[in-house]
């Protein structure tokens, strides 16, 4: 939290002790870079100290590389490029300062994924985030800005019709009964408890201006003002991720259209793609995944190696940083930038089909050696 | 549009922050650049409980109390029993010779302790200080502690470089403080950059101890087993007075004012910031229906043996003064000594199955 006494102390006196730290920020932030960026602020008054606070407060773990810095507004990525560029490059597999991002939200380009075996694929989901240009991001926004984001989002969502027609439920004043319903639907998000999020200041004023919008069919859902301005989620039980993606693309584009009618747009640029709070979500911000029942495959010693080759990531069924239950894993794309939305969902479809084949083989007691050997790095 | 929604809140800040006051104060900044929103964030984020009155406000720096007095003063008045900072002067008295008695019955009193806090003038408080400022506080205070006289001489253990062995020892001694987990503290921003700039000093005799950069710049604690509160208070006064002298020699001072006394992070601790208490065995008295009423009349407060917000174990309570602002250190310690003595008398009577009616204060 800034006070304005920066002139009284040198950058050296202020530089954080990162000797025990292990996150992307701590690996990239030198005293030189810190000194240069300490002398500037974004037009909204966001400082380098605020951006790195979460990384300073959360030293991380040698096996789990967290990012360790967040953006307080769209301009953060420019003003503090000397830190964000190397962090992005390290976190996104060598994505360079000069690289251009490709966007493809045309579901017609997707192949397959219409009927993945429901014996293994319990549910399918696609999510992304969006930020509204001109307003500060959750780490830095004021109460008034946050309320404005809620207002703009709700106005746009109110125009959705047909299968996408739905309603907004603010977290503030939600009845216990309704809360339970949303938890059962796996829709409800709660006040962040992760120190990674709390240290970046995004839980301030909870639950003011936070809420959940979902359609009557309960398969298209928008979170307002959690870690990003908007999180847009399409999901359903079973393995038709193609349909999930189609609905997601349609909803996303309609919401953007309606926002533009009111004079607002998403934060986006040709290099970073869609701009979000955490550098790990830049580009497409897409996490497309399934809950996959693979009790045998997940015990296979090469499981992680296979996931790596398929460019997939495993999580527990409670989401990030949770444990899997009964051999059921959340399997999703590992990348966010450098590939288009269609390409990422395609990787999930192809990868999941491969994992199902592996599971079937293991059920029959067959060996996976040749399959794994023949698997090429995507 | 920026006014916080405090409709479900129960804290003292909420009682006094009207939209009018907010509008008046929101564009002001202290000389250190601190704003009202920063001071109230903890109260906005922690709605509180109807039965437990918390303050809901912190001072980002010494000047916050004046810059935002339209909010701070009424909060102080409510929290400190009607003390009016506009008109009143806070008495300071750190002369232990004025304490009458002070040796409590060790059959009942297990330990005695006096603590307070002190802030260094010119540097923002833990919620708002930068890393460099926090390190400066650490430097200023540890320099002074090196100059203490013989029986107060000791060693500083920085939280950052402490060995595991040292850590275990400090935990066993009940000295170690840990990174705050209470959302009341963390949402005020005081846990940033942990454990940078934090540490513990204690003397070789292990009865005088200083915490650096926890909730305040410094917390000063004198304690010992048994009931000799006189000795604890005497050492406390000597230690604090020495430290003040030593920092003044280097051109620093404690934050202090005529009407607010010693200035600290939380408005509940200003004045003398003094909590003088004992761990005392009152298994029978604590079961009496009038126990809470007696405490109230004696201006005392009970806590569990783990400190604030913990439960009592086996009839042993932490009993300390309720008041902070408006009474001097000597007065408060006297109240604790007299009050605890009286409660021990009551306990003894109850042991003999005698009535305590006539002992209950009016």
């Amino acid at each position: 939290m800034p006070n304005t006494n920066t002139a009284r102390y040198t950058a050296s006196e202020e530089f954080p002790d990162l000797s025990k730290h292990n996150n992307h920020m701590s690996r990239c932030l030198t005293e030189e870079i810190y000194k240069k960026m300490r002398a500037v602020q974004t037009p909204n008054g966001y400082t380098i100290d605020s951006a790195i606070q979460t990384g300073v407060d959360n030293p991380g773990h040698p096996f789990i590389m967290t990012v360790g810095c967040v953006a307080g507004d769209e301009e953060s990525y420019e003003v503090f490029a000397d830190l964000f560029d190397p962090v992005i490059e390290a976190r996104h597999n060598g994505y360079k300062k000069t690289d251009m991002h490709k966007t493809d939200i045309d579901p017609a380009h997707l192949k397959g994924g219409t009927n993945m075996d429901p014996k293994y694929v319990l549910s399918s989901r696609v999510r992304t985030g969006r930020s509204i240009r001109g307003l500060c991001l959750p780490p830095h926004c004021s109460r008034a800005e946050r309320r404005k984001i809620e207002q703009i989002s709700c106005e746009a969502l109110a125009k959705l019709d047909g299968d996408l027609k739905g309603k907004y439920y603010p977290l503030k004043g939600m009845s216990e009964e309704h809360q339970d319903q949303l938890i059962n639907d796996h829709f409800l998000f709660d006040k962040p408890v992760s120190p990674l999020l709390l240290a970046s200041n995004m839980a301030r004023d909870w639950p003011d201006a936070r809420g959940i919008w979902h359609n009557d069919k309960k398969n298209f859902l928008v979170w307002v003002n959690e870690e990003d301005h908007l999180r847009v989620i399409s999901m359903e039980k079973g393995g038709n991720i193609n349909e999930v993606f189609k609905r997601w693309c349609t909803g996303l584009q309609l919401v953007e259209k309606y926002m533009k009618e009111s004079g607002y747009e998403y934060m986006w640029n040709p290099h970073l793609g869609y701009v979000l709070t955490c550098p790990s979500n830049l580009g497409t911000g897409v996490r497309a995944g399934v809950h996959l029942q693979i009790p045998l495959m997940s015990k296979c010693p090469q499981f992680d190696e296979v996931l790596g080759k398929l460019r997939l990531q495993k999580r527990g069924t409670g989401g990030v940083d949770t444990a899997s239950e009964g051999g059921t894993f959340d399997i999703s794309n590992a990348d966010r930038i450098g590939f288009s939305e269609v390409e990422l969902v395609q990787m999930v479809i192809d990868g999941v089909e491969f994992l199902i084949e592996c599971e079937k083989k293991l059920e029959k007691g067959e060996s996976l050696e040749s399959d794994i050997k023949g698997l090429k790095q995507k | 549009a920026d006014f916080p929604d405090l409709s479900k809140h129960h804290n003292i800040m909420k009682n006094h922050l009207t939209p009018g006051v907010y509008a008046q104060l929101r564009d002001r900044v202290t000389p250190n650049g601190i704003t009202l929103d920063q001071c109230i964030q903890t109260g906005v984020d922690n709605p509180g409980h109807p039965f437990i009155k918390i303050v809901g406000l912190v001072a980002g720096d010494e000047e916050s109390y004046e810059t935002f007095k339209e909010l701070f003063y009424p909060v102080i008045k409510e929290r400190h029993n009607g003390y009016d900072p506009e008109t009143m002067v806070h008495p300071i008295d750190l002369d232990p010779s004025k304490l009458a008695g002070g040796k409590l019955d060790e059959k009942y009193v297990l330990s005695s302790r006096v603590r307070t806090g002190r802030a260094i003038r010119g540097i923002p408080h833990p919620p708002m200080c930068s890393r460099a400022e926090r390190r400066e506080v650490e430097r200023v205070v540890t320099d002074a502690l090196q100059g203490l006289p013989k029986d107060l001489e000791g060693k500083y253990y920085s939280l950052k470089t402490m060995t595991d062995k040292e850590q275990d020892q400090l935990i066993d001694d009940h000295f170690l403080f840990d990174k705050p987990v209470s959302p009341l503290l963390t949402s005020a921003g005081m846990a940033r950059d942990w454990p940078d700039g934090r540490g513990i000093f204690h003397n070789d005799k292990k009865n005088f101890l200083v915490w650096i950069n926890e909730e305040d710049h410094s917390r000063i604690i004198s304690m010992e087993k048994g009931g000799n509160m006189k000795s604890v208070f005497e050492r406390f006064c000597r230690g604090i007075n020495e430290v003040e002298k030593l920092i003044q020699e280097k051109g620093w001072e404690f934050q202090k004012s005529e009407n607010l006394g010693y200035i600290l992070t939380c408005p509940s601790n200003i004045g003398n910031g003094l909590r003088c208490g004992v761990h005392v065995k009152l298994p029978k008295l604590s079961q009496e229906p009038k126990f809470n009423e007696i405490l109230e009349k004696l201006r005392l407060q009970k806590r569990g043996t783990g400190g604030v917000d913990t439960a009592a174990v086996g009839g042993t309570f932490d009993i300390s003064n309720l008041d902070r602002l408006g009474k001097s250190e000597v007065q408060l310690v006297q109240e604790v000594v007299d009050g605890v003595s009286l409660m021990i008398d009551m306990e003894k009577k109850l042991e003999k199955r005698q009535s305590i009616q006539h002992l209950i204060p009016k």
Side-chain angles (χ1 to χ4, degrees), chain A residues 1-6 8-17 19-21 34 38 48-49 52-53 56-59 142-147 172-174 191 195 198-199 201 203-208, chain B residues 1-5 7-9 22 26 30-34 37-38 40-41 44-47 122-124 127-133 135-136 139 160-161 179 186-189 191-194 196 252:
Chain A
M1 295 194 199
N3 64 55
T4 52
N5 297 335
T6 46
R8 261 197 245 166
Y9 299 92
T10 66
S12 207
E13 287 170 329
E14 202 68 80
F15 192 67
D17 180 353
S19 51
K20 294 205 177 68
H21 286 59
Y34 179 69
R38 188 172 174 256
I48 186 66
D49 282 317
I52 65 173
Q53 191 68 59
V56 175
D57 287 346
N58 297 289
S142 67
R143 275 181 295 273
E145 282 176 310
R146 202 183 294 112
R147 290 164 181 171
K172 206 175 14 165
M174 189 181 279
K191 179 170 181 175
L198 294 176
N201 257 353
R204 284 170 301 128
D205 315 310
W206 202 274
D208 198 312
Chain B
D2 235 337
F3 188 73
D5 181 347
S7 52
K8 296 209 175 63
H9 287 57
Y22 183 74
R26 84 188 276 256
T30 71
N32 293 307
I34 284 152
D37 278 324
Q38 289 169 322
I40 64 173
Q41 192 68 58
V44 176
D45 287 345
N46 296 289
I123 301 179
M128 295 293 139
C129 65
S130 71
R131 275 180 297 274
E133 287 170 326
R135 291 163 180 169
E136 175 108 80
R139 206 170 28 242
K160 214 176 9 167
T161 57
K179 179 171 180 176
T186 53
S187 56
R192 284 170 303 126
D193 315 309
W194 202 274
D196 198 313
W252 298 93

Side-chain angles (χ1 to χ4, degrees), chain B residues 103-112 225-228 277-286 305 313-319 339-353:
Chain B
K103 289 212 171 90
L104 299 164
D105 189 336
E106 305 209 330
K107 189 166 161 249
Y108 299 88
V109 178
L110 305 175
S111 59
S112 309
K225 291 237 183 290
N228 195 348
V278 297
H279 279 191
V280 58
K281 283 198 276 213
L282 301 169
K284 294 191 159 44
L285 184 59
S286 57
T305 44
V313 176
T316 304
F317 285 82
D318 176 317
I319 302 288
V340 170
S341 293
L342 180 62
M343 290 199 296
I344 291 173
D345 284 344
M346 290 181 183
E347 183 75 16
K348 285 176 172 164
K349 284 257 179 327
L350 290 171
E351 281 170 9
K352 295 190 212 132
R353 295 176 193 267

Side-chain angles (χ1 to χ4, degrees), chain B residues 107-348:
Chain B
K107 189 166 161 249
Y108 299 88
V109 178
L110 305 175
S111 59
S112 309
R113 183 183 186 266
V114 179
R115 71 88 159 146
T116 190
R118 289 290 187 265
I120 307 290
R121 176 158 283 162
I123 301 179
H125 296 151
M128 295 293 139
C129 65
S130 71
R131 275 180 297 274
E133 287 170 326
R134 201 183 295 112
R135 291 163 180 169
E136 175 108 80
V137 168
E138 186 184 33
R139 206 170 28 242
V140 170
V141 178
T142 51
D143 275 352
L145 293 170
Q146 282 191 358
L148 288 173
K150 214 108 221 302
D151 73 316
L152 297 175
E153 255 178 11
K155 193 172 167 214
Y156 178 65
Y157 302 88
S158 134
L159 247 57
K160 214 176 9 167
T161 57
M162 194 181 282
T163 64
D164 275 349
K165 194 162 154 221
E166 284 167 342
Q167 199 175 303
D168 287 340
Q169 185 59 60
L170 288 167
I171 291 173
D172 286 341
D173 292 329
H174 301 282
F175 282 176
L176 190 65
F177 65 88
D178 213 350
K179 179 171 180 176
V181 292
S182 164
L184 300 178
L185 300 181
T186 53
S187 56
M190 54 183 84
R192 284 170 303 126
D193 315 309
W194 202 274
D196 198 313
R198 276 89 168 186
I200 293 170
F201 165 92
H202 70 77
N203 64 347
D204 301 328
K205 288 184 164 213
K206 290 188 173 181
N207 55 21
F208 183 73
L209 148 80
V210 179
W211 289 355
I212 294 182
N213 284 319
E214 192 234 14
E215 185 185 326
D216 285 295
H217 284 173
S218 66
R219 283 284 178 97
I220 295 141
I221 302 149
S222 168
M223 60 204 257
E224 62 187 61
K225 291 237 183 290
N228 195 348
M229 185 62 85
K230 176 101 184 180
S231 148
V232 169
F233 187 53
E234 187 273 331
R235 185 171 52 248
F236 173 81
C237 294
R238 199 154 42 87
I240 279 207
N241 290 329
E242 272 301 315
V243 172
E244 181 160 26
K245 202 175 83 194
L246 289 162
I247 65 168
Q248 280 170 342
E249 278 169 17
K250 300 268 174 79
W252 298 93
E253 326 183 274
F254 289 144
Q255 293 178 16
K256 186 163 68 168
S257 78
E258 278 235 332
N259 61 340
L260 298 179
Y262 287 103
I263 289 176
L264 294 172
T265 305
C266 182
S268 70
N269 278 321
I270 51 167
N272 41 51
L274 194 90
R275 196 170 90 85
C276 163
V278 297
H279 279 191
V280 58
K281 283 198 276 213
L282 301 169
K284 294 191 159 44
L285 184 59
S286 57
Q287 306 273 47
E288 284 289 307
K290 286 196 187 237
F291 184 48
N292 286 334
E293 188 193 314
I294 292 168
L295 287 173
E296 172 80 42
K297 292 228 167 85
L298 294 172
R299 304 305 301 159
L300 297 177
Q301 179 190 62
K302 74 181 186 214
R303 295 182 184 193
T305 44
V308 69
D309 299 329
T310 64
V313 176
T316 304
F317 285 82
D318 176 317
I319 302 288
S320 62
N321 54 296
L322 196 49
D323 302 309
R324 303 261 184 280
L325 187 59
K327 292 183 181 169
S328 76
E329 291 82 351
V330 167
Q331 269 177 293
L332 291 176
V333 177
Q334 193 69 67
E335 280 181 4
V336 171
V337 163
D338 295 347
V340 170
S341 293
L342 180 62
M343 290 199 296
I344 291 173
D345 284 344
M346 290 181 183
E347 183 75 16
K348 285 176 172 164

